[in-house]
Amino acid sequence: MEWARLIDKVTSKSLWMMMYCTGCGAIEMPPTVTSRWDVERFGIMPMATPRQADIFLITGYLTKKTLKRVIYVYEQMPEPKYVIAHGSCPIDGGIYYDSYNTINRLDLFIPVDLYIQGCMPRAEAVMDALLKLREMVEKGEANAWQKYHENFEYYDKNQKALFGENWRAVMTL
Amino acid sequence: MREELYSYDLHMGPQHAGIHGNFAYKLKVDGEKIVEVKAVPGYLHRGFEKLMERRQWLNNVALVPRICVPEPDVNEAAYCMAVEQLANIEVPPRAVYIRTIILELARITSYLMMLGGAAAATGVYPVMYWGMGQRDLLLDLFEELTGARIYHIFMIPGGVRRDLPQGWIDKMLRVLDAIEKHIPDYYNMFFENEALVRRMKGLVKITPEQAVEMGITGPNLRATGVPYDLRKVDPYLAYPEVDFEVVTHTDGDALARNWVRFMEVGQSIQIIRQLADKLPKGAVLNKPYPAINWKVPAGSVFVHVESTKGEYGYYIVSDGQSIAPYRAYVRGPSTTHAVIAVEKLCVGLEYADFPVAESSLQICPPDLDK
Amino acid sequence: MNDTLSSLNYEKRELRARQWEVLVPAEQVEGVLSLLKPQFRHLMFLTCVDWIEQGEFELVYGLFDWDRGESVLIKTRIPRDNPKFKSLRHIYLPLEVYEREVHEMFGVVFEGNDRQYEPYVLEDWDDIPPLRKDFDPEKYIETHPALANPLHDELILELREGEQL
Ligand code: SF4
């Protein structure tokens, strides 16, 4: 077996999930990680710091203010890293399509591996997505994070269009 | 020299294990002591009030529960009551009872989650695991009734969408029995737990005068010893017809706040049993209005309900000519709790206690950001 | 009705059971609020309504009496261009944050509240205050294309073409 495939296989058995609840979908996370659905039996568990996390679950709508922090957190996560977008809001704006403060499409700003549709997706759907991601990782298909390197200009251009040219320099909290 | 070494800014949140939800605090710390707190809200601001002005009166029913995730039903109830008041719509008594049952069930789900969160902030995880498991029993009931686990969109102006399914009441009573059976376990794990009690006793003590002055409402207010519960003080729906106690505690500290929440679970169970007993027969929806292009008569009204976090209200203005609300304002309880109370009361704490103090006030950012 | 409230000599209307609205001229609001404070100890909210056709902002103070369950909405109108009002946070402490919110969402200046200039929920806002009636979110999204969904327009176009067929 190739070395890289071995690493993929090992990684897929222990995926830690970033604990940053960004939108409505955060409410379905506790049932998913506690006794009823218990994703921990698949080696997936919440982790408080981005430096030790593999999965970033975007649990819903993203306001401009949150998106900035999301990008920061995403960039702090070590590679390989995987993004799951949860609900219809990160796909096309969902119910907030005409809001002046939320973005309508997440993959303009960071690459996404998997989308879960629904408003709000049930805990089973979240589980299903996590298992799907696990499979993808094992097969070496979940490589959206490489896109961030390859197309960084594209993402950077969109980020700057939204936040202004030197947003990285002026951001505080 | 000492100044430079010891005092620094500590940013709590928005991505932080000690902060519930998407909210941030800027702390100025001297050594381990907090000398200044500044709240930084707005991570969840979607411009709800603007969105509501752009949706028709009935479309808004689907929008309002999304303002607050842990307890969406109070939004539906308050919005519908305000619209009914403006349009002068009578609600059939059976619908009033069903609404009250839903609100009380939602109260239990929310409290189970809050207690779990408060315990988890101090490292006592079993309470969270049990609470989440039992909350799911209630969510299953909701799913059977309304088709959704979280956002029910079940109440509409004039009543509720559907009648109760057959056998639902019996199932609900069985679930309540199951939860009631576990109450002593929660009590032992939470209030008899030395580690947790010592951590919370005396933390952020609030006097009743301070609480009223700062606009604190809900369990946080009742934990200071005053029986101010909107269900009794300014009764709505079927609450005048049921018999329940307003839970109070005189300590006003973090432990007392959690105690009040815990005891209200028992009261809610009593309320639901009485309601199920008295449930009247008849229609559940009175809909003398068109589904689209409905124009509500001009006027304004403020309707508030008691949620698990405090006073939740809608101020709705209609100009009588347009098919959407002219202005909708949402009064979320967290505005005063998260900004006024935390900024004024958490000064002087050690920063390790800050997450516990913050979780004992039960701040829920979405209703403040809107 | 509460004695203090019934002694007030302004236009009053009943909005629902145990709730009244009182229309007070702008310069007398401070006096009325301090008069009502001992009875109505709880400030429920402060908000603003933009009556753009009349060219006025309406400030609404919601007060609540915890002991009798009565609420009163004090309403006052101020001109829409150059809106200024006195900060009343010395009467009700929570006004500190509500005035901050109204300042950000409507651009009303509350003289004497130094905290209103701190950003509240918005960050890097570059347009007129968003809850004013003349703010149009659709236009705002058009001028900030990164907020929009680039696929949306294409989808709509496809649908329109389908309709014609
Ligand atoms: S998709 Fe629905 S549930 Fe998810 S964030 Fe959007 S509105 Fe909330």
Side-chain angles (χ1 to χ4, degrees), chain A residues 46-57:
Chain A
M47 181 23 82
T49 134
R51 308 270 182 206
Q52 293 158 11
D54 305 292
I55 308 180
F56 198 174
L57 202 72

Side-chain angles (χ1 to χ4, degrees), chain A residues 22-26 58-62 86-90 93-96 116-121, chain B residues 46 48 63 66 69 150-151:
Chain A
T22 52
C24 321
I58 308 285
T59 50
Y61 57 85
L62 284 168
H86 184 291
S88 34
C89 287
I95 202 164
Y96 305 121
I116 314 173
Q117 59 156 359
C119 176
M120 86 187 8
Chain B
R46 297 140 276 174
F48 249 108
L63 193 61
R66 288 175 171 80
V69 213
I150 309 290
Y151 295 143

Side-chain angles (χ1 to χ4, degrees), chain B residues 24 33 55 89 91 109 112 131 151 153 165 174 178 203-204 212 217 264 286 318 327-328 341 361 363 366:
Chain B
K33 240 170 111 164
R55 307 272 196 277
I89 299 174
V91 185
T109 58
L112 287 178
Y151 295 143
I153 317 174
R174 279 209 302 282
L203 189 68
V204 188
V212 174
T217 52
E264 284 193 4
N286 166 26
S318 168
R327 169 99 172 95
L361 284 166
I363 287 149

Side-chain angles (χ1 to χ4, degrees), chain B residues 1-23:
Chain B
M1 190 62 192
R2 192 196 165 275
E3 275 287 284
E4 278 164 34
L5 281 177
Y6 282 84
S7 63
Y8 53 95
D9 280 2
L10 185 68
H11 292 182
M12 283 268 194
Q15 190 279 307
H16 185 279
I19 293 278
H20 296 264
N22 202 349
F23 199 81

Side-chain angles (χ1 to χ4, degrees), chain B residues 19-170:
Chain B
I19 293 278
H20 296 264
N22 202 349
F23 199 81
Y25 286 100
K26 250 185 225 174
L27 313 179
K28 253 206 191 79
V29 185
D30 179 17
E32 298 227 330
K33 240 170 111 164
I34 299 174
V35 287
E36 194 189 280
V37 188
K38 281 251 158 86
V40 186
Y43 294 98
L44 296 172
H45 177 69
R46 297 140 276 174
F48 249 108
E49 293 165 6
K50 195 77 184 177
L51 294 181
M52 284 179 77
E53 289 169 16
R54 296 167 51 80
R55 307 272 196 277
Q56 295 199 2
W57 288 96
L58 270 194
N59 295 5
N60 273 331
V61 175
L63 193 61
V64 288
R66 288 175 171 80
I67 292 182
C68 174
V69 213
E71 204 191 5
D73 304 84
V74 285
N75 291 283
E76 293 172 30
Y79 176 75
C80 291
M81 275 152 61
V83 175
E84 281 152 9
Q85 193 71 41
L86 286 175
N88 236 330
I89 299 174
E90 281 280 326
V91 185
R94 188 176 171 87
V96 170
Y97 270 70
I98 295 177
R99 278 183 183 183
T100 322
I101 291 178
I102 291 179
L103 285 184
E104 286 306 313
L105 285 176
R107 193 180 306 278
I108 302 177
T109 58
S110 182
Y111 276 146
L112 287 178
M113 190 152 157
M114 284 179 176
L115 285 169
T122 44
V124 182
Y125 283 96
V127 179
M128 186 183 96
Y129 277 71
W130 294 341
M132 280 300 154
Q134 298 211 315
R135 174 174 169 271
D136 252 80
L137 297 176
L138 294 164
L139 294 190
D140 284 350
L141 284 177
F142 276 132
E143 194 176 0
E144 186 177 345
L145 178 64
T146 69
R149 279 162 59 84
I150 309 290
Y151 295 143
H152 310 130
I153 317 174
F154 192 59
M155 306 174 197
I156 61 173
V160 293
R161 273 195 287 134
R162 254 179 265 123
D163 206 345
L164 302 176
Q166 231 169 17
W168 189 83
I169 288 277
D170 295 332

Side-chain angles (χ1 to χ4, degrees), chain A residues 29-148:
Chain A
M29 292 321 294
T32 319
V33 297
T34 56
S35 25
R36 181 142 184 210
W37 277 283
D38 192 13
V39 286
E40 224 170 299
R41 64 199 148 121
F42 301 110
I44 300 170
M45 68 171 213
M47 181 23 82
T49 134
R51 308 270 182 206
Q52 293 158 11
D54 305 292
I55 308 180
F56 198 174
L57 202 72
I58 308 285
T59 50
Y61 57 85
L62 284 168
T63 63
K64 276 202 278 181
K65 204 170 175 175
T66 307
L67 181 62
K68 267 188 200 175
R69 280 73 185 175
V70 162
I71 293 170
Y72 254 55
V73 170
Y74 178 72
E75 287 175 354
Q76 283 177 41
M77 287 166 61
E79 286 159 356
K81 51 191 169 188
Y82 315 103
V83 176
I84 299 182
H86 184 291
S88 34
C89 287
I91 303 178
D92 67 348
I95 202 164
Y96 305 121
Y97 69 95
D98 59 347
S99 157
Y100 54 84
N101 207 33
T102 62
I103 56 147
N104 280 0
R105 217 182 150 73
L106 174 62
D107 58 11
L108 294 178
F109 307 98
I110 54 173
V112 179
D113 286 285
L114 258 184
Y115 287 106
I116 314 173
Q117 59 156 359
C119 176
M120 86 187 8
R122 299 172 49 93
E124 286 99 331
V126 182
M127 274 277 285
D128 192 39
L130 290 169
L131 293 184
K132 182 93 199 293
L133 181 80
R134 202 163 163 251
E135 246 169 57
M136 284 166 66
V137 172
E138 196 171 337
K139 290 198 197 125
E141 287 166 2
N143 36 25
W145 55 276
Q146 289 169 356
K147 280 205 244 160
Y148 198 61

